[in-house]
Amino acid sequence: MSHRIPIIPPFIPSHSHIGPKVPVLQFSDVYDLPRLREALNWPILEWSDVKKAKYNEIFDSHDSEIEGVEKEVLGCWGAQQAFDKNNRPTPSNTPGFLNLEVVYTPVPFFVKLQPKYPPDTHVSFSGLASILKPVGRAEALAAPSVKNHTSFIPHLKDQFHPPDEQLACFDNMYYVASKDTFEWQQRHGPAWNLVGSEAKFNPKLNDLASEYLRKVFGKEEIPLYIAVHIRRTDFKNSCKGADIKQCMASLSDYGELVKQVQEELRQQYGSSSPRGRVTEVLISSDEDDPEFWKDVRDLGWKYVDHDAMGTAYNHGLWYPSLLDIVIHSRAAGGKGICLITKPTVDPPKHSVHFMAERLDVSGFRPMLAGGRFLPETIKYIVRVLYDPVANAGSESQAVGNEISAFDLSLLDARHYINGPATGRFRDNLKEEFKYITAWNYAGMTNDFILYVNLIFLAYMSHRIPIIPPFMPASSHIGRNGPVLQFSDVYDLSRLRQVLNWPILEWSDVKMARYNEVFDSNKSEMEGVEKEVLGCWGAQQAFDKNNRPTNTLTPGFLNLEVVYTPVPFFVKLKPHYAPDTHVSFSGLASLLRPVGRAEALAAPSAKNYTSSVPHLKGQFHPPDEQLACFDNMYFVASHDTFEWQERHGPAWNLVGTEAKFNPKLDELASSYLKKVFGKEDIPLYIAVHIRRTDFKNSCNGAVVEECMASLSAYGERVKQVQEDLRQQYGSSSARGSVTEVLVSSDEDDPKFWKDVQDLGWKYVDHEAMGTVENHGLWYPSLLDIVIQSRAAGFVGTERSTMSLVAARRVHDWHGGASRQVSWGKK
């Protein structure tokens, strides 16, 4: 979410689990890190790649020093510190082990997941990602909480070392979620769905687990089994004086749940299949009471006797737990325990399929570990793929930061389709990839938001987005305008490169009348077939009349769509019926096999429908290779309409990187030169006044009283000028901006005379022949580009055009903005 390369710390032994005097264990000692890099198509480092330390040696917190290794001061964010009543960061052995002396700065309040519930300390992924961007970082460092910086190192306790910009670090990343607290328990949790599910165990550990299983079952061919995990020893402390037998679940409780799992498997796979008739049960537990294990044997259940098999002696103190974890993961079904007395039922596990073909990452080389982590030489740029390789070369090469150039042509559309656009989209999709698309909604800015949301969901679900064109809306430029492609407006080549992700347009995939005047009654073309496509109804699911969003795109593409409503678990605010927002994490989960099966088994799936009459009663399940949605506008990670919030991940990750294409940028420059009458375009404050269609919301009130006056905008202009003066200083160019440039849909000549009387400028599209020379889209397009290039911005509240312009001015130019309120008194 933040376009950064993660550096994974080692597993440090803790007193509460395996005890002290145990070796430090690296992530790659347990998990198959090369496979994870490949599956995620993302670079992942370990600290052993970066800085020397006593890896794989017995851990001693008092003996971490190594010859040639410096103690380095590092500024980090305090994610848990911020919401601890005593301002304490989470204690950790990792910094000391790495010879790092850390100063923590508390994260700002806006990253809190549940701001209205003080006891909970969860922070949001999107909030943390936002403070790793320049604008969010500046806002965070200006917050009053910054004064509470602290350190566990006595001589640094009162020193301020701001969080490092290149190597972002946090005291604790356990209490982090996208939408719900402890969402690893939920189907929609994106951290598990996107990353955790792909973290498979390394082959060496897997082979050792197989060896143990063969010994336990006494046969070479390991049978299917149900794994039972019973955690008791430390959980007994939560009984708080109650009788242990009444507090902790009994073996018979687990036995009942084993029967339920067997029945679930039977229902799912059929009683004649091996998975439908699993009888073997294998248990793991931290219980040390011999009577407990006798009862286990009496039930006919098996277990790994680590003492008898000499696991700790032969392999190390980590391995009893490690082998249990691997053995759990290989079961046909499983039972676990939580803090309540009744154990939790976990669903049987399913395999997960991702894109089969990966981009070539073999040409990239890592840094060699040295005595310092050398932030000045390690370039944390995840604009490129990066694959650490063991034989990285000499240390001198590492210091020189030898990273080979990435072949950007690998992101070209031609690698992800079979050839030029065809008459059937299915003929052009490659079998080894999965794709995702959605349809237009209403107006260019709303569609931009929708398409950015689509790309963000593609990122989350490991799919290739296919961006639809901008369709002319009757409420904006009129239905007789041409169909405009995304790349006609935005620099798509740059966006692919910056996101390091393939992005297609429908014009790459299927033939249609692109860039022609739109006619809904004339979409047919020779050689182009009408294709039936099953899609998800994201808005349909929460529409009281079961209606998907009405859209022009499918007809234009000669697609006949049948919609299946998304299940209730994807709803962003499940306890607030009127709102129809769905969550990114929920949508991503139903694009995976387990979530899809759950969605299609939900009662709502029976409410499939279509706007095509002959398909209305037919069920066509949502396509698995090309996932599609009726509407991606009302989608968010945490808050409704979160494009208005600093932490919105779709804007922060994707939207801010969608720059205008060079041709459009150059045209805007030529207009600005004419408006200001000079070759050198001055800094200016852009003002967007939306009025014409907003007047309809006045509901009979006097328009002059309902709509904001020019003087109201003038006051906001003064505030923006003052903000810029405070930020940059009155002697700087940005701190002394006087030019004001207005754009508006108002057609009253008196309004424009009043604008001129204020000394403000505007683009007179009629006088400059914008429509005649460039087309119906261009008055709006040029206004959007001109707004984005301002030093400051004043907009109209509730206008998405104003909203996105303000975000661009903030992120692209470090500008200031204000919105003007309006409406019936």
Side-chain angles (χ1 to χ4, degrees):
M1 288 180 72
S2 60
H3 279 188
R4 287 174 176 261
I5 297 172
I7 306 177
I8 308 299
F11 294 106
I12 304 282
S14 68
H15 289 265
S16 60
H17 286 78
I18 65 168
K21 302 300 178 185
V22 177
V24 171
L25 201 66
Q26 297 191 63
F27 186 84
S28 57
D29 292 331
V30 182
Y31 297 98
D32 189 342
L33 192 51
R35 182 198 177 279
L36 185 61
R37 292 183 186 118
E38 181 184 347
L40 301 183
N41 195 20
W42 203 257
I44 303 172
L45 301 179
E46 295 184 276
W47 266 100
S48 57
D49 298 315
V50 178
K51 184 174 182 179
K52 292 177 183 176
K54 297 187 177 184
Y55 304 103
N56 301 101
E57 295 184 26
I58 300 294
F59 175 67
D60 185 346
S61 60
H62 302 294
D63 183 23
S64 62
E65 294 184 3
I66 304 178
E67 186 178 350
V69 175
E70 294 183 23
K71 283 192 182 295
E72 297 176 85
V73 176
L74 179 64
C76 294
W77 293 103
Q80 287 303 293
Q81 170 198 7
F83 307 110
D84 180 89
K85 61 183 179 182
N86 296 311
N87 190 44
R88 289 177 304 197
T90 301
S92 171
N93 289 320
T94 310
F97 170 75
L98 294 169
N99 280 288
L100 299 175
E101 297 184 326
V102 179
V103 176
Y104 294 98
T105 298
V107 297
F109 185 77
F110 67 74
V111 309
K112 200 172 192 299
L113 186 73
Q114 307 283 4
K116 296 179 182 177
Y117 185 55
D120 185 74
T121 60
H122 275 79
V123 293
S124 70
F125 280 117
S126 53
L128 294 185
S130 73
I131 64 173
L132 302 185
K133 308 270 291 184
V135 178
R137 175 185 172 87
E139 189 177 337
L141 293 178
S145 58
V146 168
K147 298 174 183 176
N148 297 326
H149 56 82
T150 189
S151 178
F152 291 114
I153 311 300
H155 71 274
L156 293 175
K157 205 164 187 64
D158 297 321
Q159 292 185 29
F160 178 54
H161 291 266
D164 200 90
E165 288 196 69
Q166 189 171 28
L167 175 58
C169 48
F170 297 89
D171 62 338
N172 192 327
M173 286 286 289
Y174 180 80
Y175 297 99
V176 189
S178 68
K179 176 176 174 281
D180 298 314
T181 58
F182 300 106
E183 69 187 2
W184 275 65
Q185 300 170 14
Q186 309 296 327
R187 164 63 48 219
H188 65 253
W192 167 260
N193 278 334
L194 181 62
V195 182
S197 178
E198 292 296 339
K200 304 298 171 68
F201 298 106
N202 74 30
K204 183 180 175 183
L205 187 58
N206 246 329
D207 290 344
L208 185 60
S210 294
E211 181 185 322
Y212 268 67
L213 285 168
R214 291 187 187 106
K215 289 178 182 177
V216 167
F217 289 112
K219 55 182 78 172
E220 191 64 23
E221 187 176 346
I222 301 164
L224 293 171
Y225 58 90
I226 291 168
V228 176
H229 172 233
I230 303 179
R231 181 171 171 180
R232 291 169 67 98
T233 305
D234 58 338
F235 275 14
K236 289 175 184 176
N237 298 329
S238 299
C239 292
K240 296 180 180 177
D243 184 274
I244 298 295
K245 290 184 178 179
Q246 292 181 350
C247 176
M248 303 304 296
S250 66
L251 277 175
S252 61
D253 291 329
Y254 285 91
E256 285 301 311
L257 289 171
V258 166
K259 291 176 185 176
Q260 291 178 23
V261 168
Q262 289 170 324
E263 181 57 30
E264 287 177 27
L265 291 170
R266 199 157 29 243
Q267 292 286 336
Q268 186 173 353
Y269 296 103
S271 57
S272 60
S273 74
R275 287 188 178 271
R277 44 188 171 84
V278 180
T279 56
E280 293 285 7
V281 178
L282 194 151
I283 186 172
S284 64
S285 178
D286 58 353
E287 181 58 75
D288 53 11
D289 182 357
E291 189 66 28
F292 170 85
W293 291 106
K294 179 182 180 301
D295 293 342
V296 168
R297 291 191 295 271
D298 290 345
L299 286 168
W301 295 357
K302 294 182 173 64
Y303 61 94
V304 176
D305 189 336
H306 289 294
D307 285 341
M309 297 175 79
T311 303
Y313 179 80
N314 293 320
H315 305 289
L317 285 170
W318 284 102
Y319 277 78
S321 295
L322 284 178
L323 288 166
D324 285 348
I325 290 169
V326 180
I327 288 167
H328 295 158
S329 74
R330 293 169 65 170
K335 292 293 99 202
I337 189 169
C338 60
L339 276 171
I340 56 175
T341 58
K342 192 170 183 179
T344 301
V345 179
D346 292 327
K349 300 295 183 284
H350 297 248
S351 63
V352 177
H353 174 69
F354 267 123
M355 300 194 311
E357 184 172 315
R358 304 295 171 190
L359 299 180
D360 179 18
V361 297
S362 59
F364 294 86
R365 296 292 184 268
M367 302 295 298
L368 289 179
R372 304 176 69 239
F373 66 79
L374 297 173
E376 69 272 18
T377 60
I378 299 177
K379 303 300 182 186
Y380 292 92
I381 302 176
V382 293
R383 306 291 192 266
V384 296
L385 294 175
Y386 182 90
D387 187 24
V389 179
N391 55 342
S394 68
E395 188 164 355
S396 62
Q397 288 175 322
V399 173
N401 194 32
E402 182 188 6
I403 299 179
S404 60
F406 176 54
D407 182 2
L408 296 174
S409 69
L410 291 174
L411 295 172
D412 288 351
R414 68 178 186 272
H415 295 292
Y416 307 98
I417 48 179
N418 290 319
T422 54
R424 283 169 37 88
F425 78 83
R426 293 191 189 282
D427 295 339
N428 218 355
L429 302 185
K430 289 196 168 186
E431 288 183 10
E432 61 266 34
F433 293 120
K434 289 184 180 291
Y435 305 82
I436 186 170
T437 194
W439 316 131
N440 78 297
Y441 176 45
M444 172 163 281
T445 305
N446 286 0
D447 282 348
F448 171 73
I449 291 172
L450 187 156
Y451 299 165
V452 167
N453 287 345
L454 171 64
I455 296 170
F456 181 67
L457 181 60
Y459 230 63
M460 286 186 69
S461 58
H462 276 190
R463 287 174 176 260
I464 298 170
I466 306 178
I467 308 300
F470 294 106
M471 304 297 293
S474 55
S475 59
H476 288 74
I477 67 163
R479 285 283 172 86
N480 58 339
V483 174
L484 201 66
Q485 296 189 65
F486 187 83
S487 57
D488 292 330
V489 183
Y490 298 98
D491 189 341
L492 190 52
S493 297
R494 180 191 179 280
L495 186 61
R496 290 185 186 115
Q497 179 184 345
V498 170
L499 299 183
N500 190 24
W501 204 257
I503 303 171
L504 303 179
E505 295 184 275
W506 267 99
S507 57
D508 297 316
V509 179
K510 184 174 182 178
M511 293 188 293
R513 297 180 185 276
Y514 305 103
N515 300 102
E516 294 184 24
V517 173
F518 175 67
D519 185 346
S520 59
N521 300 312
K522 188 185 175 184
S523 62
E524 294 184 3
M525 289 178 69
E526 186 177 348
V528 175
E529 290 187 23
K530 284 193 181 295
E531 297 174 88
V532 176
L533 178 63
C535 293
W536 292 103
Q539 286 304 292
Q540 170 198 6
F542 309 110
D543 180 87
K544 61 182 179 181
N545 296 312
N546 190 44
R547 289 175 304 196
T549 299
N550 186 33
T551 176
L552 300 170
T553 315
F556 170 75
L557 294 169
N558 279 288
L559 299 175
E560 297 184 325
V561 180
V562 177
Y563 296 98
T564 298
V566 297
F568 187 77
F569 69 74
V570 309
K571 200 172 193 295
L572 186 71
K573 302 290 182 186
H575 302 300
Y576 184 55
D579 185 73
T580 61
H581 275 79
V582 293
S583 70
F584 282 115
S585 52
L587 295 185
S589 72
L590 62 85
L591 300 184
R592 298 177 66 88
V594 179
R596 175 184 172 86
E598 189 177 336
L600 292 179
S604 59
K606 296 175 182 176
N607 296 326
Y608 54 85
T609 189
S610 178
S611 58
V612 181
H614 71 272
L615 293 175
K616 214 164 183 66
Q618 294 183 29
F619 178 56
H620 291 266
D623 200 88
E624 290 196 69
Q625 187 181 23
L626 175 58
C628 48
F629 296 89
D630 63 337
N631 192 329
M632 284 285 294
Y633 179 79
F634 297 99
V635 189
S637 67
H638 183 232
D639 296 317
T640 57
F641 301 106
E642 69 186 2
W643 274 64
Q644 300 171 17
E645 308 296 333
R646 164 60 46 217
H647 64 254
W651 168 260
N652 280 330
L653 179 66
V654 181
T656 191
E657 300 295 352
K659 303 298 173 66
F660 297 107
N661 75 32
K663 183 179 175 183
L664 186 58
D665 240 348
E666 288 171 13
L667 184 61
S669 292
S670 69
Y671 269 66
L672 285 168
K673 289 169 185 173
K674 290 176 183 176
V675 167
F676 289 111
K678 55 181 78 172
E679 194 64 24
D680 191 5
I681 301 165
L683 293 172
Y684 58 90
I685 292 169
V687 178
H688 172 231
I689 305 175
R690 181 170 169 181
R691 292 167 67 95
T692 303
D693 59 337
F694 276 14
K695 291 174 184 176
N696 299 328
S697 300
C698 291
N699 297 325
V702 177
V703 171
E704 287 73 15
E705 295 178 2
C706 174
M707 303 308 295
S709 64
L710 276 177
S711 62
Y713 285 90
E715 286 301 312
R716 294 290 186 268
V717 166
K718 292 175 184 176
Q719 292 173 13
V720 167
Q721 288 171 324
E722 181 57 30
D723 289 344
L724 292 170
R725 199 156 29 245
Q726 292 287 335
Q727 187 174 349
Y728 295 103
S730 58
S731 60
S732 71
R734 287 189 177 271
S736 53
V737 180
T738 57
E739 293 284 6
V740 178
L741 197 152
V742 177
S743 61
S744 178
D745 57 354
E746 181 59 74
D747 53 12
D748 182 355
K750 184 179 184 306
F751 169 87
W752 291 107
K753 181 182 181 302
D754 292 342
V755 167
Q756 288 175 310
D757 290 346
L758 286 169
W760 296 354
K761 294 181 172 63
Y762 65 95
V763 176
D764 189 335
H765 288 293
E766 285 191 27
M768 298 175 80
T770 303
V771 172
E772 292 80 4
N773 294 322
H774 306 289
L776 281 169
W777 285 101
Y778 277 78
S780 295
L781 282 178
L782 288 166
D783 285 349
I784 289 169
V785 180
I786 287 167
Q787 289 162 8
S788 76
R789 292 169 66 169
F793 179 76
V794 174
T796 303
E797 200 173 70
R798 288 182 267 169
S799 165
T800 52
M801 188 173 179
S802 286
L803 168 65
V804 175
R807 301 304 300 267
R808 287 173 175 143
V809 168
H810 274 282
D811 280 20
W812 297 358
H813 310 300
S817 71
R818 288 285 193 278
Q819 300 287 344
V820 176
S821 300
W822 62 277
K824 189 176 180 180
K825 296 291 187 291

